[in-house]
Amino acid sequence: MLRIRRSEDCICAKKNDCKSRSFFVCLREIWDKYIPAVEQMHTTLKKYNVAFTTTTSENKKLRKKNEQLTQSLEKSSKESVLKKLEDERLRHQYLEAVEILERIPAEVVRAYTRKPDAQHRKTGLER
């Protein structure tokens, strides 16, 4: 028994039941429908194969770019953290310096901030 199936119709043919001529005519009709469908499928696969190949290569490029951007982000984040640490260290040093300056008595600050007078000029101790 020979069974030929297609999505739309199922043809079962037995050699003994039909004449050889009608069997081959029936078979020819099936093949006439089948071959164009296979060609169309092949054409569609070729078209999509190009699309899949292009998409695959684009994906590889995008993955590489993503990796580069990730590394760049990690580097900039690390630099940002280091900059924040340096800024905090400088801020701490500044606050310590201001604290030390605030402990200096006002008389001493006035003595050093006024204009040099005649006594300093005589001794040569100008600032």
Side-chain angles (χ1 to χ4, degrees), residues 60-80:
K60 286 179 183 178
K61 290 177 186 176
L62 289 173
R63 283 188 191 117
K64 187 175 181 180
K65 187 172 184 177
N66 187 19
E67 184 178 319
Q68 291 173 348
L69 290 173
T70 302
Q71 290 175 355
S72 175
L73 178 64
E74 288 174 359
K75 183 180 177 185
S76 65
S77 296
K78 184 178 180 181
E79 289 174 357
S80 177

Side-chain angles (χ1 to χ4, degrees), residues 2 13 15 18-28:
L2 174 67
K15 262 190 173 178
C18 50
K19 299 177 182 175
S20 62
R21 180 180 171 154
S22 64
F23 173 77
F24 289 113
V25 169
C26 183
L27 189 60
R28 183 175 166 204

